[in-house]
Amino acid sequence: MGQDSSEPGGFTDLLLDEGHDNTTQIEEDTDHNYYTSRTYGPFDSISRDLWVNIDQMEKDKVKIHGILSNTHRQAARVNLSFDFPFYGHFLREITVATGGFIYTGEVVHRMLTATQYIAPLMANFDPSVSRNSTVRYFDNGTALVVQWDHVHLQDNYNLGSFTFQATLLNDGRIIFGYKEIPVSVTQISSTNHPVKVGLSDAFVVVHRIQQIPNVRRRTIYEYHRVELQMSKITNLSAVEMIPLPTCLQFNSCGPCVTAQIGFNCSWCNKLQRCSSGFDRHRQDWVDSGCPEESKDKVCEKNVDTTENPPHTTTSLQPTTTRFRVLTTTKGATTSHLPTSLPTEASTDDSAAEKKGGTLHAGLIVGILILVLIVAAAILVTVYMYHHPTSAASLFFIERRPSRWPAMKFRRGSGHPAYAEVEPVGEKEGFIVSEQC
């Protein structure tokens, strides 16, 4: 029980627990703005078709992650062999977590469960409590399958083991497959770990801290979330999510501003990009003045598009990091775009940063030069004091005024003693007595 079977009837040998929804009714398509989801019941044949039997795949391509299979609350990067479109953005790298979800963000932090995730069943799973628990993944060039095998909840081991998977396809479809779900998902405790089923995406805004130079603070804003009904997640069920068109797919102004896809698409000539203003490139969109430019829906003619737009931003290394998640209104199966965006602080300005760095460098160099001059003056003074007959001492003595009071120097100190010096004329300088 709980093992993959190559026999046609092996998948249905798992018994359904009492209280689970055993109907064969297929849920109607649910529009989530960015995705359309459909849930299949345990007795529907499509559920079996959507499940990927990893044991039948090429063994050299199936990888068991040793660290994830023996630890708790850990995550590991996995490279994709294909471009996976997620909310219109193409990903080549994801992060698989032991807690039953995939993190899709670029900035790795301690709050991975907050947003930017693909969660077939996010919960407090701990593969280290059982030797039979593994986290496996398989990539065939067109799809990536991540499977959590026989994992247990850390805070409730006696509930039994869970086996489920998430499949990411190169056309953007996402499939959740469930083989072993011993209890209703709604009964799983979220005290020590969030419990979620669905998708989420966000954008990152980098704030400059004026009081501390060269320090940046990243803030993550969630702009959309898909929440699936947990009561529909049972043994042998499946969920298929099909991506809907987004503004990012348009490469020219005309199709962008005339698109009728449910988003208010606008074209930015400076970035040569189509966007609704709510995607992972939000900061570039705002910094480039695209919101003001996009108010005019008329496309400019003869626009030079030979210059490559700056689609990438420099990675920053802040000394302090703070994350804030913008929560959306929770619904039964869908969520809506936020009606307003939190006020954004001043963003990264590379030119100002370079100018400030030049000023700091110039100030430091000036201080060093001043210190060196003062040190040299002190050393010369000490040298002349200890070597009164040196060329340097005589050089300064000869250029003193011709009329000055007689001087006597203390004897017995170990230094050469000067006798009284009598001025005899401005042209001849000074005469030093033979006692010197």
Side-chain angles (χ1 to χ4, degrees), residues 212-278:
I212 308 176
N214 300 327
V215 175
R216 302 290 183 268
R217 182 187 65 193
R218 289 188 177 97
T219 306
I220 299 179
Y221 295 90
E222 182 183 60
Y223 66 88
H224 190 264
R225 180 187 300 178
V226 175
E227 294 179 329
L228 301 177
Q229 288 187 357
M230 296 185 184
S231 60
K232 301 296 182 180
I233 307 304
T234 63
N235 285 340
L236 315 181
S237 62
V239 179
E240 182 180 18
M241 280 169 283
I242 302 173
L244 297 174
T246 65
C247 299
L248 295 174
Q249 71 186 44
F250 300 106
N251 298 320
S252 59
C253 180
C256 172
V257 298
T258 59
Q260 301 294 329
I261 58 173
F263 295 102
N264 184 21
C265 299
S266 301
W267 180 258
C268 182
N269 286 314
K270 184 175 182 179
L271 297 178
Q272 290 293 296
R273 181 185 300 155
C274 183
S275 174
S276 63
F278 290 92

Side-chain angles (χ1 to χ4, degrees), residues 127-149:
S128 65
V129 300
S130 175
R131 294 182 179 180
N132 296 326
S133 300
T134 59
V135 178
R136 299 187 289 172
Y137 60 93
F138 167 78
D139 188 341
N140 66 354
T142 60
L144 172 75
V145 181
V146 181
Q147 182 166 316
W148 291 262
D149 269 321

Side-chain angles (χ1 to χ4, degrees), residues 116-171:
Q116 293 185 306
Y117 56 76
I118 299 173
L121 181 52
M122 181 191 296
N124 192 22
F125 294 112
D126 186 359
S128 65
V129 300
S130 175
R131 294 182 179 180
N132 296 326
S133 300
T134 59
V135 178
R136 299 187 289 172
Y137 60 93
F138 167 78
D139 188 341
N140 66 354
T142 60
L144 172 75
V145 181
V146 181
Q147 182 166 316
W148 291 262
D149 269 321
H150 309 296
V151 291
H152 293 260
L153 294 170
Q154 188 197 50
D155 42 13
N156 203 336
Y157 179 87
N158 295 328
L159 287 182
S161 65
F162 294 73
T163 298
F164 54 93
Q165 64 182 209
T167 303
L168 315 182
L169 293 96
N170 61 354
D171 60 0

Side-chain angles (χ1 to χ4, degrees), residues 47-263:
S47 296
R48 303 182 188 90
D49 296 337
L50 294 178
W51 177 266
V52 179
N53 193 342
I54 293 184
D55 292 335
Q56 295 179 350
M57 303 301 169
E58 300 179 28
K59 293 185 177 181
D60 58 336
K61 293 185 178 181
V62 179
K63 298 180 180 180
I64 299 177
H65 202 286
I67 297 178
L68 297 182
S69 299
N70 295 279
T71 53
H72 176 236
R73 291 204 177 191
Q74 293 291 325
R77 288 283 191 179
V78 174
N79 295 321
L80 302 177
S81 63
F82 57 92
D83 292 327
F84 170 65
F86 182 66
Y87 278 90
H89 306 89
F90 290 96
L91 307 180
R92 269 293 183 132
E93 189 178 55
I94 60 171
T95 302
V96 179
T98 56
F101 69 98
I102 298 171
Y103 175 70
T104 62
E106 297 178 357
V107 181
V108 179
H109 49 85
R110 293 182 299 175
M111 300 286 292
L112 298 186
T113 60
T115 184
Q116 293 185 306
Y117 56 76
I118 299 173
L121 181 52
M122 181 191 296
N124 192 22
F125 294 112
D126 186 359
S128 65
V129 300
S130 175
R131 294 182 179 180
N132 296 326
S133 300
T134 59
V135 178
R136 299 187 289 172
Y137 60 93
F138 167 78
D139 188 341
N140 66 354
T142 60
L144 172 75
V145 181
V146 181
Q147 182 166 316
W148 291 262
D149 269 321
H150 309 296
V151 291
H152 293 260
L153 294 170
Q154 188 197 50
D155 42 13
N156 203 336
Y157 179 87
N158 295 328
L159 287 182
S161 65
F162 294 73
T163 298
F164 54 93
Q165 64 182 209
T167 303
L168 315 182
L169 293 96
N170 61 354
D171 60 0
R173 286 184 297 148
I174 301 174
I175 299 173
F176 295 159
Y178 304 93
K179 185 176 181 180
E180 276 188 287
I181 306 296
V183 297
S184 174
V185 177
T186 57
Q187 298 178 8
I188 299 176
S189 173
S190 60
T191 302
N192 300 319
H193 194 287
V195 179
K196 301 178 182 180
V197 178
L199 310 175
S200 172
D201 198 26
F203 56 83
V204 181
V205 175
V206 180
H207 303 277
R208 297 185 63 186
I209 302 179
Q210 297 180 355
Q211 294 80 1
I212 308 176
N214 300 327
V215 175
R216 302 290 183 268
R217 182 187 65 193
R218 289 188 177 97
T219 306
I220 299 179
Y221 295 90
E222 182 183 60
Y223 66 88
H224 190 264
R225 180 187 300 178
V226 175
E227 294 179 329
L228 301 177
Q229 288 187 357
M230 296 185 184
S231 60
K232 301 296 182 180
I233 307 304
T234 63
N235 285 340
L236 315 181
S237 62
V239 179
E240 182 180 18
M241 280 169 283
I242 302 173
L244 297 174
T246 65
C247 299
L248 295 174
Q249 71 186 44
F250 300 106
N251 298 320
S252 59
C253 180
C256 172
V257 298
T258 59
Q260 301 294 329
I261 58 173
F263 295 102

Side-chain angles (χ1 to χ4, degrees), residues 6-81:
S6 59
E7 298 298 329
F11 191 83
T12 58
D13 288 341
L14 294 175
L15 300 179
L16 297 174
D17 294 338
E18 293 183 1
H20 281 184
D21 188 357
N22 299 341
T23 62
T24 59
Q25 180 182 0
I26 300 175
E27 293 292 322
E28 294 298 326
D29 291 349
T30 305
D31 187 357
H32 305 278
N33 296 323
Y34 289 88
Y35 288 88
T36 297
S37 68
R38 172 171 285 193
T39 304
Y40 300 95
F43 293 105
D44 192 89
S45 60
I46 300 181
S47 296
R48 303 182 188 90
D49 296 337
L50 294 178
W51 177 266
V52 179
N53 193 342
I54 293 184
D55 292 335
Q56 295 179 350
M57 303 301 169
E58 300 179 28
K59 293 185 177 181
D60 58 336
K61 293 185 178 181
V62 179
K63 298 180 180 180
I64 299 177
H65 202 286
I67 297 178
L68 297 182
S69 299
N70 295 279
T71 53
H72 176 236
R73 291 204 177 191
Q74 293 291 325
R77 288 283 191 179
V78 174
N79 295 321
L80 302 177
S81 63

Side-chain angles (χ1 to χ4, degrees), residues 284-302:
D284 286 344
W285 186 263
V286 174
D287 292 349
S288 301
C290 296
E292 295 298 324
E293 179 183 337
S294 62
K295 291 181 180 179
D296 185 6
K297 289 287 186 178
V298 179
C299 296
E300 295 182 3
K301 295 182 180 180
N302 300 327

